Amino acid sequence: MPGSPSEPYAPAEPYAPAESYEPAEPYEPAESYDLAVIGAGPAGLAGAVAACELGLSVAVLDAAPQTGGQYFRHPAPGLGAARPQALHHDWAEFTALRGRFEASGATHLAHHHVWTVTPPGGDGTWTVHALTGPDAHGGTPARVRARTILLATGAYERQLPFPGWTLPGVIGAGGAQAMLKSGLVLPGRRIVVAGSGPLLLAVASSLAAAGARVPAVVEASGYLGYARRPYALATSPHKLLEAAVHGSALLRHRTPLRTRSAVTEVHGTDRVEAVTVSRLDRAWRPVPGTGRRIACDALAVGHGLVPQTELATGLGCATRRTPDGTHALALDALQESSVPGLWAAGETGGTGGWDLARTEGELAGIAVAARLRGLPALTRGGRARALARRRDRLRAFADAMAAAHAPGPGWTAWLPDDTDVCRCEEVTAGSIRGAAGALGARDARTAKLLTRAGMGWCQGRMCGAAVACLAAEGGRGVGVGSAEGGTAQGTVPPSAERRPLAVPVPLGALADLPEESGRPRTAG
């Protein structure tokens, strides 16, 4: 299912609560660091390496046991994978970055699930609060203090519901790729890949190369949108080459690509047996009479990525509206957020791929070192200028990509009233529409209060986009990509739905917080 336990981008299956919580003495390093990096993907590793090489002490906290983040997931050593690089592009570049990180002297704190960050107190240091262990439930509390913070927390997958999306065998597109990369398993033998965005091509080619039959890749958008930004295409030829590689793989495996189409229904009893694929008009409304049934035993589906910003917005960081309707952190030219002392890199500031994340991370590491060492010339040097130029080119392509695959306003037309939208609380589309139309719930927060949509264990990460669309619609047909349905482009204040806690945490861990560290901020 979307967000199943193997899902890398969205925690979709409800978290299982811990049976009990035994308060434990929090682990706290004796020393504080110059920089605490949250996330050990490409952005976090590059930032840590740059800061260490400029003389800073750095700690990197990450929930996973290995470095690499979601993009460079790789099998656990116990699986005995002979060639993990076969599942990745740019593996050699990643291993080079990982080697530099391992030699840098940075402290790697694996299995650290960061649930909040508290701002500097009297000693001028931030405090990062985490629970340690394979998952966040019942883990030992840990605190790490640092003079500055770099957020490299990545993104999770956006899901737009449809009839049958709760059946076993429906999984996030990124989740299918994660199962393959980290577990060396397939979600099925005959897998339809659907949704919107360039991730679909990568997922389909990986699944086909691993032996699955992919009867169709179903892309809700088209690719002509890229042509509206020729400069972004011209300055990113490697992206075009990567797309050509994936396209060639699909041709080799005889996998058809259906654009301007979507999976509008899943069929089956105990698990997926088939899907209905319908043509879409330019607003993403299903065209009547175009539905075609495709037999399959699994569906990998996703409609782009949502930046994971909970830690930052809980601290009051400003956000910006992205071209595909999500919110990312608003960052300055050196990757610093609107809150001084807190930098961000990678998908947190807008999705754009691993190369952009690495570039932004290195630039942020240099900027942190320049601030702490009192050497502003570092940010004016040749390396920083080259990184900034490369970041701008890659970001321009990322914006073109986001605009080309932005969900259209009419997608809710494929959503009958009896379809569950919030899976955790079993709230239907009809219930949310009723709250919007009769009770005036025109935003996700009000809909949550009136219907419980988004009040379950995943806290709206799975259903948030759909609930917001249905609430904003209010009978007027406004969706994710509509200018009427959200805030205009530009910097906007933090969302009213921001969460003070980034992951589920036992109440005992909150009680363990010392008074002098402050408490997590709540939405005002």
Side-chain angles (χ1 to χ4, degrees):
M1 302 182 197
S4 66
S6 298
E7 168 68 67
Y9 301 105
E13 280 300 316
Y15 294 100
E19 294 182 1
S20 63
Y21 175 79
E22 295 292 334
E25 185 64 27
Y27 162 73
E28 187 167 0
E31 62 173 322
S32 64
Y33 296 88
D34 292 320
L35 173 64
V37 180
I38 302 174
L45 295 183
V49 167
C52 282
E53 290 178 349
L54 290 170
L56 302 189
S57 59
V58 179
V60 178
L61 300 89
D62 193 74
Q66 304 179 78
T67 59
Q70 307 296 356
Y71 191 92
F72 288 106
R73 277 178 175 255
H74 39 288
L79 292 177
R83 294 190 312 116
Q85 67 274 18
L87 300 174
H88 296 273
H89 291 283
D90 303 323
W91 181 257
E93 293 183 64
F94 165 67
T95 55
L97 176 61
R98 183 177 60 185
R100 289 177 62 197
F101 173 73
E102 292 169 349
S104 69
T107 300
H108 178 211
L109 300 174
H111 285 313
H112 275 60
H113 306 265
V114 177
W115 54 273
T116 197
V117 177
T118 50
D123 61 355
T125 60
W126 299 78
T127 304
V128 181
H129 299 270
L131 293 173
T132 64
D135 58 49
H137 307 300
T140 302
R143 291 194 294 264
V144 174
R145 300 185 187 277
R147 297 167 65 193
T148 55
I149 301 291
L150 172 58
L151 293 177
T153 47
Y156 54 91
E157 205 158 13
R158 174 166 55 191
Q159 295 294 338
L160 303 181
F162 44 83
W165 77 306
T166 58
L167 271 175
V170 180
I171 188 170
Q177 195 172 48
M179 290 178 68
L180 182 58
K181 287 182 176 180
S182 60
L184 303 180
V185 294
L186 293 167
R189 300 304 304 174
R190 186 178 173 87
I191 310 165
V192 171
V193 178
S196 185
L199 178 64
L200 302 185
L201 299 181
V203 170
S205 61
S206 296
L207 295 175
R213 173 79 175 95
V214 181
V217 175
V218 184
E219 165 63 61
S221 299
Y223 292 95
L224 294 179
Y226 288 89
R228 299 191 185 100
R229 302 195 184 189
Y231 174 77
L233 295 178
T235 57
S236 300
H238 61 291
K239 292 291 186 180
L240 299 178
L241 177 61
E242 187 175 326
V245 169
H246 292 314
S248 298
L250 296 183
L251 286 174
R252 189 166 61 253
H253 292 284
R254 298 181 180 179
T255 298
L257 173 63
R258 300 191 180 190
T259 59
R260 296 289 179 188
S261 302
V263 169
T264 52
E265 187 173 1
V266 176
H267 309 280
T269 51
D270 297 327
R271 66 168 294 116
V272 175
E273 297 173 6
V275 299
T276 291
V277 174
S278 302
R279 290 283 297 169
L280 302 180
D281 65 16
R282 291 191 173 277
W284 281 37
R285 289 184 294 262
V287 177
T290 62
R292 297 292 182 271
R293 193 172 174 123
I294 299 177
C296 60
D297 60 4
L299 169 65
V301 61
H303 292 85
L305 303 177
V306 178
Q308 195 157 310
T309 62
E310 291 93 342
L311 291 172
T313 54
L315 289 164
C317 293
T319 62
R320 64 181 180 89
R321 188 78 164 181
T322 64
D324 62 345
T326 65
H327 283 85
L329 294 186
L331 305 172
D332 69 11
L334 295 174
Q335 302 297 129
E336 191 171 12
S337 74
S338 62
V339 175
L342 193 153
W343 279 260
E347 316 287 48
T348 315
T351 59
W354 94 274
D355 194 11
L356 174 59
R358 174 182 57 176
T359 301
E360 291 182 340
E362 185 173 351
L363 182 59
I366 292 173
V368 172
R371 174 77 55 82
L372 295 186
R373 295 182 59 193
L375 297 173
L378 285 175
T379 60
R380 297 193 294 269
R383 180 58 183 162
R385 289 202 307 270
L387 287 168
R389 288 194 298 269
R390 180 173 180 80
R391 185 266 318 275
D392 292 344
R393 289 196 304 270
L394 293 171
R395 178 58 67 192
F397 182 86
D399 287 346
M401 179 178 65
H405 296 284
W411 74 268
T412 54
W414 73 53
L415 203 57
D417 281 347
D418 61 354
T419 303
D420 279 339
V421 172
C422 173
R423 296 168 52 178
C424 299
E425 297 292 326
E426 299 182 335
V427 181
T428 64
S431 297
I432 300 169
R433 285 174 172 139
L439 302 176
R442 297 301 170 84
D443 59 76
R445 182 180 178 85
T446 308
K448 177 179 180 179
L449 295 173
L450 293 174
T451 68
R452 295 189 60 84
M455 204 173 282
W457 279 102
C458 86
Q459 284 293 285
R461 289 175 178 86
M462 281 297 294
C463 66
V467 172
C469 289
L470 290 169
E473 181 179 79
R476 295 180 294 109
V478 178
V480 178
S482 169
E484 294 180 76
T487 308
Q489 287 275 7
T491 299
V492 296
S495 166
E497 290 83 36
R498 68 185 188 271
R499 304 178 186 92
L501 308 178
V503 299
V505 59
L507 289 176
L510 295 176
D512 287 342
L513 277 177
E515 287 295 331
E516 63 271 16
S517 73
R519 298 295 189 204
R521 293 190 182 189
T522 58

